[in-house]
Amino acid sequence: MASQFGDGLFQATLAGALLFNPDRAADPMAIARAFAVLFLPYSLLGPFAGALMDRWDRRLVLVGATVGRLILIAAIGTILAVGAGDVPLLIGALLANGLARFVVSGLSASLPHVVPREQVVTMNSVAIASGAIAAFLGANFMLVPRFFVGAGDGGASVIVFITIIPISIALLLSFRFGSRVLGPDDTRRAIHGSAVYAVITGWLHGARTVAQRPTVAATLSGLAAHRMVVGVNSLVMLVLVHHLPVPAAGGLGIALLFFAAAGLGGFLANVRRWGRYATANGALTVAAIIQIPGAGLRLPVMVVCGFLLGVAGQMVKLCADSAIQMDVDDALRGHVFAVQDALFWVAFIVSITVAAAFIPDDGRAPMFVLFGSVLYLIGLATHSILGRRGQPVNNR
């Protein structure tokens, strides 16, 4: 929760500095480029680095990644303070985001080590919900200091330095775990050989494990469809609010409300009695219906749809996380979570980039929003076909 609060605060500050800064303009393609630079590099390299979570003490990985985040956050705050330009800012931000994703994947892979197996699904829901609430609070807390320090680079620098506080708390909490308590286990499926070999083959082992586990492949296909719709919706919302009369203030507030509503919807998501297969199918079906009213491009309706889609999307993600935690050997769990994280962001970035090439500069593209329902239906069909092969495992 401490880490997610800091991440929500950091991401909201970056959005304000890059997209709602009175000194910068942001057309659809500029927004897509910003997301690509911030998240695509780690998404492509993550499954290689994920091998390290299945090789090194995960507690040390959490500590090292958090220390690296603190250093990069301080550097980003300095870059903003001196007005060094977009290139060093984006480079520092993409490195910080990469370490943040490393922390999230490491915590997800570690969860089965700190709760009984029969409670993994329930506690996974609690962990995701708590993280969503923490990120929601962090993102919206950003508006408080922004009101006092301003919307320019100098104000963003101050808020970035404030981010050091929750990340430092996360670092102190990570020291409380004992050595090897979070894994990984040295099972017969562990990848042996040098660390270099493990990293180079990280994508291969992660992808092969996904292919061998129908429950995992099915839920990841549904999750990819959801993230593609989120990419389209996010771009349309950001461009629409950027063209409000006072985009630097009111526009950012509405954008944060949209993303916060989606995150709060995730807080309410749970997977209990229905089983993973039926839950994911139901969530994707309902999401396809919920997406339709958003095509009217009315901001209040889009915020409500964002909230409800957040519920549906987090139900699918809970199914995916639970499948990985329960159906994948611990020695390969970090690999697969890194693949999931890569898919999570690559699907988002691909959809937002394609949409940016076609939607008008004012964001009024109702057909793209309607196409989101088609994407959900494609995800539903893929999940239904793949998931049926592993349905007995899903229902245990």
Side-chain angles (χ1 to χ4, degrees):
M1 290 180 68
S3 181
Q4 289 289 80
F5 181 94
D7 195 41
L9 177 58
F10 180 72
Q11 297 296 344
T13 304
L14 279 182
L18 292 173
L19 306 179
F20 294 91
N21 190 326
D23 299 327
R24 294 185 175 92
D27 57 30
M29 192 55 71
I31 294 173
R33 283 196 300 268
F35 276 111
V37 171
L38 290 175
F39 295 106
L40 188 59
Y42 174 77
S43 297
L44 298 178
L45 297 176
F48 293 98
L52 301 177
M53 289 187 290
D54 293 332
R55 187 176 187 86
W56 296 343
D57 184 346
R58 288 183 187 138
R59 180 245 192 185
L60 293 179
V61 171
L62 291 177
V63 170
T66 306
V67 170
R69 288 181 73 189
L70 287 171
I71 294 171
L72 288 167
I73 287 170
I76 291 167
T78 303
I79 289 169
L80 285 168
V82 301
D86 286 353
V87 174
L89 174 62
L90 289 172
I91 291 175
L94 78 87
L95 293 174
N97 283 331
L99 291 178
R101 305 314 307 164
F102 210 62
V103 170
V104 171
S105 295
L107 289 170
S108 296
S110 302
L111 183 67
H113 286 270
V114 295
V115 297
R117 178 179 175 83
E118 62 273 13
Q119 295 181 13
V120 166
V121 174
T122 299
M123 292 309 299
N124 193 35
S125 176
V126 172
I128 291 177
S130 301
I133 285 293
F136 164 81
L137 294 174
N140 285 273
F141 174 78
M142 184 277 296
L143 294 173
V144 177
R146 183 183 170 95
F147 177 79
F148 293 101
V149 299
D153 285 351
S157 173
V158 173
I159 305 173
V160 166
F161 278 111
I162 293 175
T163 307
I164 290 176
I165 297 174
I167 302 301
S168 296
I169 294 173
L171 176 62
L172 293 175
L173 292 173
S174 64
F175 277 117
R176 292 167 58 88
F177 292 107
S179 177
R180 310 294 297 190
V181 165
L182 302 180
D185 296 334
D186 187 17
T187 69
R188 64 183 181 85
R189 296 184 64 87
I191 306 302
H192 297 288
S194 67
V196 174
Y197 169 79
V199 170
I200 291 175
T201 59
W203 252 113
L204 173 63
H205 291 298
R208 185 169 60 189
T209 303
V210 170
Q212 293 172 347
R213 299 290 186 273
T215 55
V216 177
T219 50
L220 289 186
S221 65
L223 183 61
H226 170 69
R227 288 299 295 174
M228 293 181 79
V229 178
V230 170
V232 173
N233 291 350
S234 298
L235 180 63
V236 171
M237 171 61 76
L238 286 170
V239 177
L240 285 174
V241 300
H242 198 76
H243 284 80
L244 289 176
V246 190
L252 178 59
I254 295 175
L256 286 179
L257 179 62
F258 172 77
F259 290 108
L264 188 60
F267 171 75
L268 301 177
N270 206 337
V271 181
R272 296 298 297 270
R273 302 294 182 186
W274 298 344
R276 284 176 266 157
Y277 180 73
T279 296
N281 277 344
L284 291 167
T285 301
V286 172
I289 298 171
I290 293 171
Q291 178 71 8
I292 296 174
L297 302 182
R298 295 183 179 275
L299 295 181
V301 175
M302 293 185 73
V303 170
V304 174
C305 289
F307 171 81
L308 296 175
L309 291 175
V311 176
Q314 283 292 28
M315 290 180 77
V316 177
K317 189 173 188 304
L318 280 170
C319 294
D321 286 355
S322 299
I324 296 172
Q325 290 163 342
M326 299 178 70
D327 300 342
V328 175
D329 189 282
D330 185 66
L332 294 170
R333 198 173 290 143
H335 288 72
V336 179
F337 266 111
V339 169
Q340 183 205 57
D341 196 69
L343 182 66
F344 191 86
W345 284 108
V346 168
F348 178 88
I349 293 166
V350 168
S351 66
I352 206 173
T353 303
V354 172
F358 293 99
I359 72 170
D361 288 343
D362 62 2
R364 299 211 160 268
M367 293 306 298
F368 263 94
V369 179
L370 284 176
F371 184 67
S373 292
V374 177
L375 291 174
Y376 274 125
L377 293 177
I378 293 173
L380 171 63
T382 306
H383 177 269
S384 298
I385 294 170
L386 294 177
R388 191 177 299 277
R389 294 162 50 197
Q391 192 173 357
V393 177
N394 282 339
N395 290 331
R396 67 185 176 185

